[in-house]
Amino acid sequence: YQEYRDIPGVQIRNVDHVEYCHYNRCYYHRLGDATCPRNVKSMDEFRRWGEKAPLGFYGYAFDAMSLKNPLYLPLWRMIADEMRVFRNMDMRRVKTEYQVDLHLLPQDAGVREKSRILLLASRLSFYAWAMAAFDPDADMDLLVDDFCRRVYGAGAGDMKAYHNLMADAWEGMKSHIGYYFNSPRGPARELISDRLKADARSRLASAADKTRGETRAHNEVLLDAECFENWVREAEDAKSNAVVHPISRTGAADPLAEAGWLEAKARRGRAQPTRFKVARGGDRLFVLAKCEDSGMKAFDRGSGKKDDPNVWGLGAYIEMFIENAVGDRYQLAVSPAGGVWDKRNGDIKWNSSVKAGTET
């Protein structure tokens, strides 16, 4: 899924298709968007693969974020765009990954278990995917209109306006997303503006009021309203619960000497003692991690080689994700032996100038 993407040097024959996992694209922007460097690179790679083999497509659109709470992913414009692109590429097969048990949902009482509606929040995008796969030239505006009429009854007009508000905000994101199961906190801060909150809540409230005599339609509106508020909570959580640590630039010979320690916390339970320092000196970023573990002597120090994929098999490594203001995402991992594995915006061939050292 990460290392397989090298373009073959020969033609691939006697196969129906090669299924290409297109998780390295940006799901905020359309595939032909020249202002989205991630999609420009991804599609260049994808098309060159297509010169060597008949292609199938395996998508990760609905794995774009780690959804602990139901969040609506307004992907239907992205889906319509990619289906037309794939049709023009003579794609042999298209498939996407999602997890939802539609048949288990109680529709009559208006009670929905969150564990079962996880991605039902994006049911319009599901519908768009199925219909666009059937007919890539389908008019998406008419499709959304049809969906809203059948699902929301008297609230159809307001709900269509709501879905367009969300899609406009989604396509207007300045950052980029490509790797699956990203935390929704960062995107939520960019997506949920004060204007969007006011306009979306107004449309949702109006639709809820108009459907009070239609139980099923009313419950559908309430589901969307709840999912929107989950986005709002993610945005607020990103602001209130984030660990904010200003990093000042210093001219000191040892920038880390002046930096204070940051204590790591476990996601669950209690963490082994782990501390970090982060500092800037000149044009460099310095990171020091001090990790303690009761079984430290048993750790496999691994390889000190550059880009050794076995870094991931150790279970003992320091991993960092660094993002800048324009959405570039850097992933770095350092093994106990000092080996560095790195990538930029999903490109594992990119090599940083990171210098790493370890001691025990």
Side-chain angles (χ1 to χ4, degrees), residues 273-286:
T274 305
R275 298 189 295 168
F276 296 87
K277 282 187 176 185
V278 184
R280 292 194 301 173
D283 59 354
R284 298 182 180 183
L285 180 70
F286 295 82

Side-chain angles (χ1 to χ4, degrees), residues 59-163:
Y60 280 101
F62 300 108
D63 292 333
M65 295 181 190
S66 179
L67 308 179
K68 294 181 180 179
N69 292 311
L71 293 172
Y72 167 40
L73 303 180
L75 293 163
W76 37 278
R77 292 179 186 168
M78 308 295 102
I79 288 163
D81 169 69
E82 73 175 18
M83 288 300 180
R84 287 190 289 270
V85 170
F86 296 160
R87 185 269 314 279
N88 294 340
M89 291 177 66
D90 195 25
M91 202 70 60
R92 297 293 182 88
R93 180 175 187 261
V94 292
K95 180 181 180 181
T96 194
E97 185 173 280
Y98 65 93
Q99 305 165 37
V100 64
D101 294 322
L102 297 179
H103 64 287
L104 295 176
L105 294 171
Q107 297 284 352
D108 50 348
V111 177
R112 297 172 183 262
E113 298 177 41
K114 285 190 177 181
S115 63
R116 290 179 176 174
I117 68 169
L118 186 60
L119 292 175
L120 188 62
S122 300
R123 59 203 185 284
L124 171 55
S125 294
F126 287 163
Y127 180 62
W129 199 100
M131 297 300 285
F134 181 78
D135 178 9
D137 290 320
D139 185 315
M140 194 53 57
D141 183 68
L142 293 178
L143 186 145
V144 174
D145 187 70
D146 178 65
F147 179 90
C148 290
R149 228 175 2 93
R150 295 175 185 276
V151 173
Y152 303 114
D158 284 311
M159 292 307 296
K160 183 179 180 183
Y162 164 73
H163 286 300

